[in-house]
Amino acid sequence: MSDIEARLSALGHTLPAAPAPAANYVPFVVTGKHLFVSGQISSGPDGLILGKLGAELSVDDGVQAAQRCALALLAQAKAATGDLSKIARLVKLVGFVNSTPDFIEQPKVINGASDLMVEVLGDAGRHARSAVSAASLPLGVAVEIEAIFELV
């Protein structure tokens, strides 16, 4: 178990199995020292976290959905590298929030992923980021997040 997985466990999180792609794409691409992870959707132990922020879901629900995306991103990173200790840093997150037109708390929602990455990776988890609204997301999920990691 890597230090990253030990920190995840200490925080009460379990690394899920890396989700299989749902369409015609690969879950990750390694090129040079960079790992690009395809968008990971909000899925928890009980299934998909569905809904629209600003309607049936609260900001807290969105934060939890974003945390699930972050865990899936780390699961894909482990699948790509075999060992999370090969992550030098998180470079960037791009987060999409399924939200109503008047919802403006996208940054708070995506903080669920950002905060988790910093808790687990320390300073190497501080990253550039975008947090944007989407009229809908695949399967009706609440959040989708993609990532770029630098590898050692």
Side-chain angles (χ1 to χ4, degrees):
M1 177 183 292
S2 72
D3 289 346
I4 294 169
E5 288 178 271
R7 284 192 291 276
L8 278 169
S9 181
L11 292 168
H13 297 290
T14 303
L15 197 64
N24 187 18
Y25 64 91
V26 294
F28 54 80
V29 171
V30 177
T31 181
K33 292 181 71 173
H34 289 96
L35 166 63
F36 293 79
V37 180
S38 296
Q40 300 297 299
I41 59 176
S42 51
S43 180
D46 300 325
L48 297 175
I49 301 172
L50 303 171
K52 192 170 283 288
L53 280 288
E56 62 269 11
L57 296 179
S58 69
V59 170
D60 288 340
D61 295 329
V63 166
Q64 291 175 5
Q67 288 173 343
R68 299 308 305 175
C69 293
L71 292 170
L73 289 165
L74 290 169
Q76 293 292 4
K78 183 176 180 181
T81 64
D83 183 355
L84 290 176
S85 65
K86 293 181 180 176
I87 294 174
R89 74 166 300 126
L90 174 59
V91 177
K92 185 170 185 181
L93 291 180
V94 179
F96 303 92
V97 180
N98 184 357
S99 54
T100 60
D102 60 338
F103 185 79
I104 60 170
E105 307 285 355
Q106 292 83 2
K108 287 183 182 177
V109 169
I110 301 303
N111 277 347
S114 293
D115 292 346
L116 180 64
M117 292 296 197
V118 172
E119 285 180 310
V120 189
L121 300 172
D123 281 340
R126 298 197 183 283
H127 53 276
R129 183 183 91 177
S130 298
V132 298
S133 180
S136 67
L137 288 173
L139 307 174
V141 296
V143 178
E144 180 175 356
I145 303 176
E146 64 182 55
I148 302 169
F149 294 94
E150 182 182 357
L151 304 175
V152 292

